[in-house]
Amino acid sequence: MKTQGLRELEARIARLFAERLQVELPSSDVDLFESGLLDSWRLVVLLGALEEEFGVRVAMDALEFDDFRTLAQIASFVAARVPPQAGRPPS
């Protein structure tokens, strides 16, 4: 995915953080676990929101916390797993 597409994806995911987790992210590269912005409960809620918004499913036994450390990493994770939808980005 191109950089512009990743930036748009980051913005959509940041909106999910705000709407679903009531968390405002200070930047795309802040460590969400170290900063306390993401914990195990919020991660479960986030995974549900990502599945609902983008169709991304993650098996718990395949979950890698490093994929969720920063907004940028989450966007890359989602971009690699978004199901194709006739050439248009997910809504």
Side-chain angles (χ1 to χ4, degrees):
M1 183 175 270
K2 294 180 181 178
T3 302
Q4 179 182 1
L6 279 176
R7 295 288 179 228
E8 291 172 9
L9 192 54
E10 285 179 15
R12 290 178 64 192
I13 295 168
R15 189 180 76 238
L16 285 178
F17 267 88
E19 293 173 357
R20 303 284 180 90
L21 304 172
Q22 287 74 49
V23 171
E24 294 295 329
L25 301 178
S27 72
S28 65
D29 60 352
V30 67
D31 189 311
L32 300 171
F33 292 111
E34 280 187 20
S35 65
L37 295 171
L38 192 61
D39 57 22
S40 58
W41 176 249
R42 285 182 173 148
L43 179 59
V44 170
V45 174
L46 175 63
L47 289 171
L50 292 173
E51 182 176 342
E52 185 179 309
E53 180 80 9
F54 302 106
V56 173
R57 300 188 119 209
V58 182
M60 293 308 270
D61 59 344
L63 184 66
E64 293 289 335
F65 287 105
D66 285 340
D67 291 330
F68 294 87
R69 286 214 171 270
T70 68
L71 178 59
Q73 287 171 307
I74 296 169
S76 292
F77 175 86
V78 169
R81 288 162 181 81
V82 170
Q85 295 185 1
R88 65 179 180 85
S91 57

